[in-house]
Amino acid sequence: MRRDLKELEQKTGYAFREFSLLRQAMTHSSYVNERNMEKHECNERLEFLGDAVLELVSSEFLFHEHPTMPEGKLTRTRASMVCEPSLALCARSLEIGAYLLLGKGEEATGGRKRDSITSDAMEALIGAIYIDGGFASAKEFINRHILQDLENKQLFFDSKTILQEIVQAHFKDPVIYSLIGEEGPDHDKSFHVEVRIGKDAYAEGTGRTKKAAEQEAAYRSILKLRKKNIK
């Protein structure tokens, strides 16, 4: 069930002068297609614009935050910050999926939870704020909702690699990921994975793919290990 867009507006911290831009940012192409609307009425053009604004703001942020970092590493770091999983994670914090206008088919196949759709909507939202309030407003939104808690986000996205390095340094046994359950229809399935180090279970994770579930389980394992001062 789609929720009221006014609620989303409050979450963003930005008040739209032209509220129709927020609606367009949340309008998926499947909704436009099913209602025989014009193609340009979906959020794809706003997504295109938001992507460019996000790249500029994140580039400026990294340039000033890391004054000695070489160009190659700046590029790789920026890519990890604005990649689909990263934006989808930010979109989840705003519950963007709950506000999307989707076609019935996309709705039925779990589109509200699909990273590709929610990350695109996040970029479209940035584009909408840029058009409505200018660069400063878009930059403020990006700083508040995307460029926050980057260290923890980096830990999450590199969790399997980081866990592997910790285990190699402090344990004799390898990391083992075990699928312990799955539920839901094929188009909207959830996987549950457990991380074990040797015979000891450390944490569980859930995701729409096995890889995503493993990533969450690894992340939770790292947090548990850090509480024991194992880094």
Side-chain angles (χ1 to χ4, degrees), residues 136-151:
S137 296
K139 182 177 180 179
E140 183 180 348
F141 173 82
I142 292 167
N143 284 332
R144 182 186 301 133
H145 295 287
I146 296 175
L147 301 182
Q148 289 293 322
D149 199 20
L150 285 178
E151 184 178 346

Side-chain angles (χ1 to χ4, degrees), residues 150-168:
L150 285 178
E151 184 178 346
N152 197 45
K153 288 176 182 173
Q154 193 70 35
L155 176 62
F156 180 76
F157 292 118
D158 293 339
S159 56
K160 291 184 70 175
T161 300
I162 292 170
L163 179 61
Q164 184 70 31
E165 291 171 352
I166 292 172
V167 170
Q168 286 178 343

Side-chain angles (χ1 to χ4, degrees), residues 107-132:
E107 176 90 57
T109 55
R112 293 192 185 280
K113 298 177 182 177
R114 191 165 295 127
D115 283 1
S116 59
I117 291 178
T118 58
S119 62
D120 287 350
M122 192 72 174
E123 289 183 328
L125 178 56
I126 293 167
I129 292 173
Y130 174 77
I131 290 290
D132 192 74

Side-chain angles (χ1 to χ4, degrees), residues 37-204:
M37 297 163 65
E38 295 292 332
K39 176 67 173 174
H40 66 265
E41 294 181 84
C42 75
N43 65 5
E44 290 176 356
R45 283 168 52 83
L46 287 174
E47 175 202 338
F48 163 80
L49 183 60
D51 175 66
V53 175
L54 176 59
E55 183 166 311
L56 176 57
V57 172
S58 57
S59 297
E60 182 189 43
F61 172 84
L62 288 172
F63 183 86
H64 292 297
E65 192 76 7
H66 303 284
T68 62
M69 185 180 285
E71 181 270 342
K73 190 169 183 182
L74 285 169
T75 300
R76 291 191 297 274
T77 304
R78 182 184 64 196
S80 71
M81 287 164 54
V82 301
C83 66
E84 180 181 295
S86 178
L87 291 177
L89 184 66
C90 298
R92 282 198 288 279
S93 70
L94 289 171
E95 299 181 280
I96 275 182
Y99 302 95
L100 291 170
L101 290 161
L102 297 174
K104 292 178 181 177
E106 198 64 65
E107 176 90 57
T109 55
R112 293 192 185 280
K113 298 177 182 177
R114 191 165 295 127
D115 283 1
S116 59
I117 291 178
T118 58
S119 62
D120 287 350
M122 192 72 174
E123 289 183 328
L125 178 56
I126 293 167
I129 292 173
Y130 174 77
I131 290 290
D132 192 74
F135 182 75
S137 296
K139 182 177 180 179
E140 183 180 348
F141 173 82
I142 292 167
N143 284 332
R144 182 186 301 133
H145 295 287
I146 296 175
L147 301 182
Q148 289 293 322
D149 199 20
L150 285 178
E151 184 178 346
N152 197 45
K153 288 176 182 173
Q154 193 70 35
L155 176 62
F156 180 76
F157 292 118
D158 293 339
S159 56
K160 291 184 70 175
T161 300
I162 292 170
L163 179 61
Q164 184 70 31
E165 291 171 352
I166 292 172
V167 170
Q168 286 178 343
H170 297 282
F171 295 85
K172 294 180 180 179
D173 297 310
V175 179
I176 300 170
Y177 295 91
S178 301
L179 181 66
I180 58 175
E182 54 184 88
E183 58 190 33
D186 288 341
H187 65 263
D188 191 20
K189 194 177 286 293
S190 290
F191 296 91
H192 305 284
V193 166
E194 180 183 68
V195 166
R196 302 182 76 87
I197 301 174
K199 295 180 179 180
D200 298 324
Y202 270 78
E204 296 180 7

